[in-house]
Amino acid sequence: AEIGMLFQGAALFDSMTVGQNIGFALKEAQRRPSEEIRERVIEVAQKLQVDEILNAMPSEVSNGQKKRVALARALITRPKIMIYDEPTTGQDPIMMRRVDDMIVEASQSFDITSIVISHDMVSAFRIAHQITMIHQGRVLVSDTSKRVKAYPDPEVRRFIYAGADRLSEGPRTSS
């Protein structure tokens, strides 16, 4: 497959083990021999640090492990491009950082181009080489992270820095 996809939710098959979930595309779509599937499952699972849970069911693993399993399932077909749909949605700040690290590591370890669709500006600036902002079907800016941060357009700045003033004010109290 040329393109892999990591959905917002892990979208794992709950009736299959972690290993079966990872190898699913090779078995069903590509009809690879069992031994090749087993080798590739182990290889990708080791790179994404889920090799210890290959026999577990999805209900038995943490949310972070589920994300890594879903990524392993997408990467096992060796895509050239990986698309991530809102990968940090619903995650706590620690897990958000782990997901960001996972995306960067996957891009490097598997030599793929990653496209991340996200509203999370902290995450976007942490992982991106290039950022494209689209608003109402129109590209507002497409440039390096550094240049996008400094871009003068008010709509771009509002989106990037939304809530930043509230963060610096501290907690609000009602009177």
Side-chain angles (χ1 to χ4, degrees):
E2 293 287 314
I3 298 175
M5 175 82 177
L6 182 66
F7 298 97
Q8 197 174 88
L12 299 177
F13 299 109
D14 58 4
S15 62
M16 296 180 180
T17 66
V18 164
Q20 290 168 330
N21 265 283
I22 294 171
F24 181 77
L26 294 181
K27 181 179 179 193
E28 296 300 318
Q30 295 187 0
R31 306 234 186 260
R32 302 285 181 156
S34 295
E35 187 56 35
E36 180 185 346
I37 293 171
R38 194 172 11 265
E39 288 171 12
R40 286 187 45 193
V41 165
I42 291 169
E43 174 192 356
V44 76
Q46 286 174 336
K47 284 185 179 180
L48 292 172
Q49 301 167 4
V50 291
D51 52 313
E52 298 293 322
I53 59 166
L54 289 175
N55 294 319
M57 299 304 284
S59 61
E60 301 169 330
V61 301
S62 71
N63 285 337
Q65 289 171 320
K66 285 178 186 172
K67 281 270 189 197
R68 286 187 177 269
V69 170
L71 179 58
R73 183 179 61 195
L75 291 172
I76 199 159
T77 61
R78 299 181 177 150
K80 292 180 176 25
I81 299 169
M82 188 67 200
I83 299 173
Y84 299 85
D85 178 23
E86 297 281 359
T88 57
T89 297
Q91 303 291 327
D92 64 57
I94 294 167
M95 183 52 65
M96 290 168 85
R97 183 62 182 245
R98 287 186 184 149
V99 170
D100 290 345
D101 292 344
M102 177 183 76
I103 291 168
V104 172
E105 289 166 16
S107 291
Q108 294 167 349
S109 295
F110 293 91
D111 192 31
I112 58 173
T113 298
S114 293
I115 298 171
V116 180
I117 296 129
S118 181
H119 289 87
D120 181 346
M121 291 289 85
V122 173
S123 174
F125 284 109
R126 187 179 296 137
I127 63 176
H129 296 279
Q130 174 100 10
I131 292 180
T132 300
M133 294 183 88
I134 301 170
H135 179 66
Q136 296 180 343
R138 187 173 64 89
V139 174
L140 295 178
V141 62
S142 185
D143 213 327
T144 64
S145 300
K146 186 176 181 178
R147 288 184 181 155
V148 169
K149 267 188 183 175
Y151 199 71
D153 180 90
E155 194 66 41
V156 171
R157 297 191 69 69
R158 254 192 310 276
F159 193 82
I160 291 172
Y161 298 105
D165 57 332
R166 290 189 310 257
L167 292 175
S168 62
E169 290 174 11
R172 294 180 186 224
T173 57
S174 56
S175 24

